[in-house]
Amino acid sequence: MKWLLGLGFALSLAAADPAVLEKGKAEEKRACVACHGTRIVHVQRLSRAQWERELTKMAGWGAPIRDREALLEYLLANYGDDKPVAPLPRSEDASNSKR
Amino acid sequence: MFSRRKWMKVLGAGMSALDGWGQGPLRFPGKRPMLVQNDFPEDLETPVEYFDTWITPNDAFFVRQHLPRPKVDAGSWRLKVGGMVSNPLTLTLDDLKKMPPVKVPATLECAGNGRANYRPKVPGLQWSKGAIGNAEWRGVRMADLLKRAGAGAGAKYGNFNGADNGVAKTPDFIRSIPMRKLMHEATIVALEMNGAPLPEIHGFPARLVVPGWDGASWVKWVTEMDLSDEPSKGFFFATAYRYPKYSPVPGSAVKPEDMEVLEGMAVVSYFARPVHGSAAKKGSPLRLQGVAYAGENRVSRVEVSTDGGSKWIDAKLSPQNYPFAWRLFTFVGRRGYRVSHPLFEGHGFSGARAAGGMPVESVRVHV
């Protein structure tokens, strides 16, 4: 049990490697913006298994993922299910009608 | 309200991934300030404080898109009606405008409204309460179109496609609607929304209005109706927008054969005011306000409780009482009512009790 916890700790340390996160972020910018913006990605708070499924789904639809590992670590580090939810931004007023 | 800049500051520089890439200001022509779920394509949530009119104005109406938004030219746009029909049609916008017009007030709600409150979290747009709105739609009865096309006796579904297309291998957005719903007198191909031509973002020049059913059925920029004895096998009908037939343990997997099409929406109510967690002055009168919607049914009654659910009091309803359309409710504490508890809790009950109304929401106000 203890070594399992230790392994988890080691993994989370590896996940926090800034170089990997940078690579993951670059990967998102490269592979995830052809069909939609990144906001739809960033509003999610998902577990590792859920992110795995999302990446498989998006790859199936044509997302040209090359560095899946780095992308996954980056998504988990920023948009994992343990991360706080950010309030949604509000757009500027662009209504044509007077109220 | 938290300004975006402030929020960024709270998170610090290490998390600059918050934003999209190289995007300018968030501005959506024709829209008031909206909560931005996504900007390309636009997925915009209506802030609940706009829920104070029975008709949700077009500039405040929520937006949901699956695929990049198509640019449709009114002159070359056509609606094709084909498949199991004796008289296939290719109609122009003018052709539709010459058919007898009908007006239908109806509430449109995204099936995923409220998803932000799920625990554990599930993927999809993280709507809080604002993926719902009520409008008056004007257009042509689907039943009239089907009559004109000579729908065959064997036809069981209309399979609908819009002008939007998937990028790369993304599936096209195709939805199937059974004949019994298509023949309903309130199911229309709408050309207008609240007295104006459909805004582009809401499906110009034509969209389906399928009253009481989930937003995914209300196909936008509709260009094709194919009558068939089979529903679509495409992703957006056969896989997505399916819901478990039973209440699963939250977070557990459900077998595909235990999933079914959503169709009619469940009874819901949403508090618009007061805002959850907001402050109220001690001794001030209490005013609860919100919306209640019962899918294909009428909302006959909304009750609220100010004591955690032991006593329920009828809220006042907006006068319009139609199937398919929401009602606004308000409850003002009787004169001299004192909010004296340190924590006040109100619960909304909506719909008829006979339908087994269920508690859907509570708001807490600190006094």
Side-chain angles (χ1 to χ4, degrees):
Chain A
M1 199 57 205
K2 222 182 204 154
W3 72 267
L4 248 183
L5 282 174
L7 184 65
F9 185 60
L11 278 175
S12 65
L13 270 187
D17 179 350
V20 174
L21 299 188
E22 255 336 286
K23 267 167 89 183
K25 188 173 161 184
E27 185 66 358
E28 180 188 54
K29 191 169 183 172
R30 197 187 55 73
C32 305
V33 295
C35 311
H36 53 68
T38 50
R39 289 177 196 278
I40 191 172
V41 181
H42 301 174
V43 295
Q44 316 292 331
R45 293 291 179 273
L46 305 176
S47 67
R48 180 174 289 267
Q50 286 172 315
W51 274 123
E52 289 272 16
R53 280 199 292 276
E54 281 301 314
L55 292 184
T56 302
K57 178 175 168 187
M58 296 304 147
W61 286 356
I65 302 171
R66 277 192 224 133
D67 194 342
R68 183 167 166 143
E69 267 323 295
L71 179 55
L72 183 64
E73 293 313 328
Y74 153 81
L75 290 170
L76 271 170
N78 292 284
Y79 314 107
D81 58 358
D82 58 339
K83 299 293 176 282
V85 172
L88 296 170
R90 269 186 201 228
S91 57
E92 290 172 13
D93 194 349
S95 168
N96 309 317
S97 58
K98 294 215 163 56
R99 289 184 303 277
Chain B
M1 189 61 209
F2 243 125
S3 82
R4 210 148 69 90
R5 189 163 295 133
K6 192 158 157 214
W7 175 249
M8 300 276 293
K9 230 189 276 164
V10 173
L11 280 183
M15 290 191 67
S16 51
L18 247 191
D19 279 291
W21 309 109
Q23 286 143 338
L26 289 171
R27 207 172 167 280
F28 305 100
K31 290 288 174 191
R32 300 184 200 183
M34 301 286 279
L35 298 167
V36 182
Q37 297 271 350
N38 197 22
D39 51 352
F40 164 67
E42 302 93 338
D43 291 307
L44 310 174
E45 174 164 353
T46 303
V48 284
E49 63 264 29
Y50 300 171
F51 289 164
D52 53 4
T53 50
W54 185 64
I55 289 289
T56 312
N58 292 357
D59 66 2
F61 214 96
F62 84 97
V63 176
R64 167 73 171 116
Q65 293 170 106
H66 298 82
L67 306 175
R69 176 148 55 88
K71 184 105 190 127
V72 179
D73 169 60
S76 53
W77 176 86
R78 297 287 182 274
L79 175 63
K80 291 194 174 140
V81 184
M84 299 174 78
V85 295
S86 55
N87 177 33
L89 305 171
T90 301
L91 302 167
T92 66
L93 193 51
D94 280 339
D95 292 336
L96 285 180
K97 286 181 182 164
K98 280 182 207 138
M99 292 177 69
V102 281
K103 271 189 196 171
V104 177
T107 296
L108 169 57
E109 184 178 25
C110 175
N113 201 16
R115 187 182 284 120
N117 306 316
Y118 289 4
R119 296 293 180 278
K121 288 269 182 202
V122 289
L125 291 176
Q126 299 299 306
W127 305 114
S128 167
K129 312 190 220 177
I132 185 168
N134 189 56
E136 187 172 71
W137 311 91
R138 186 171 185 268
V140 174
R141 269 201 184 106
M142 189 66 81
D144 290 348
L145 280 172
L146 292 176
K147 220 175 291 163
R148 196 165 154 184
K156 291 200 190 109
Y157 295 90
N159 298 325
F160 293 88
N161 195 1
D164 51 345
N165 286 307
V167 181
K169 286 177 267 172
T170 312
D172 201 358
F173 191 82
I174 295 174
R175 294 288 301 178
S176 303
I177 300 171
M179 239 16 205
R180 81 185 134 82
K181 186 64 179 173
L182 292 181
M183 292 304 291
H184 191 286
E185 59 177 7
T187 302
I188 66 172
V189 176
L191 309 178
E192 288 180 18
M193 176 177 182
N194 294 329
L198 272 175
E200 250 176 64
I201 209 165
H202 292 291
F204 178 84
R207 80 172 305 167
L208 301 192
V209 167
V210 191
W213 286 29
D214 62 323
S217 304
W218 298 43
V219 176
K220 298 200 269 190
W221 314 288
V222 61
T223 53
E224 263 177 68
M225 157 158 65
D226 182 54
L227 291 188
S228 172
D229 53 359
E230 271 186 338
S232 164
K233 294 190 179 72
F235 173 80
F236 286 107
F237 186 76
T239 307
Y241 290 104
R242 297 258 163 175
Y243 289 77
K245 290 176 186 164
Y246 54 87
S247 287
V249 177
S252 66
V254 179
K255 288 193 224 104
E257 60 269 30
D258 288 336
M259 303 287 273
E260 61 189 359
V261 188
L262 187 57
E263 303 193 341
M265 296 292 280
V267 178
V268 291
S269 74
Y270 303 107
F271 280 120
R273 285 192 179 86
V275 172
H276 187 70
S278 63
K281 258 218 203 103
K282 195 164 183 169
S284 60
L286 172 71
R287 188 186 168 85
L288 292 172
Q289 194 183 315
V291 295
Y293 169 57
E296 295 184 293
N297 303 300
R298 287 167 200 262
V299 172
S300 54
R301 189 168 181 192
V302 174
E303 296 171 292
V304 296
S305 169
T306 58
D307 60 3
S310 43
K311 203 170 127 214
W312 293 89
I313 313 162
D314 276 289
K316 204 170 153 233
L317 295 176
S318 55
Q320 299 88 347
N321 181 4
Y322 306 117
F324 314 123
W326 74 13
R327 297 182 84 178
L328 308 185
F329 67 84
T330 43
F331 171 80
V332 181
R334 59 198 140 78
R335 204 178 334 179
Y337 187 97
R338 307 258 160 222
V339 181
S340 54
H341 300 289
L343 277 183
F344 157 78
E345 224 175 310
H347 292 256
F349 256 79
S350 60
R353 281 230 167 175
M358 48 175 179
V360 286
E361 196 191 1
S362 69
V363 280
R364 246 166 222 266
V365 183
H366 304 271
V367 288

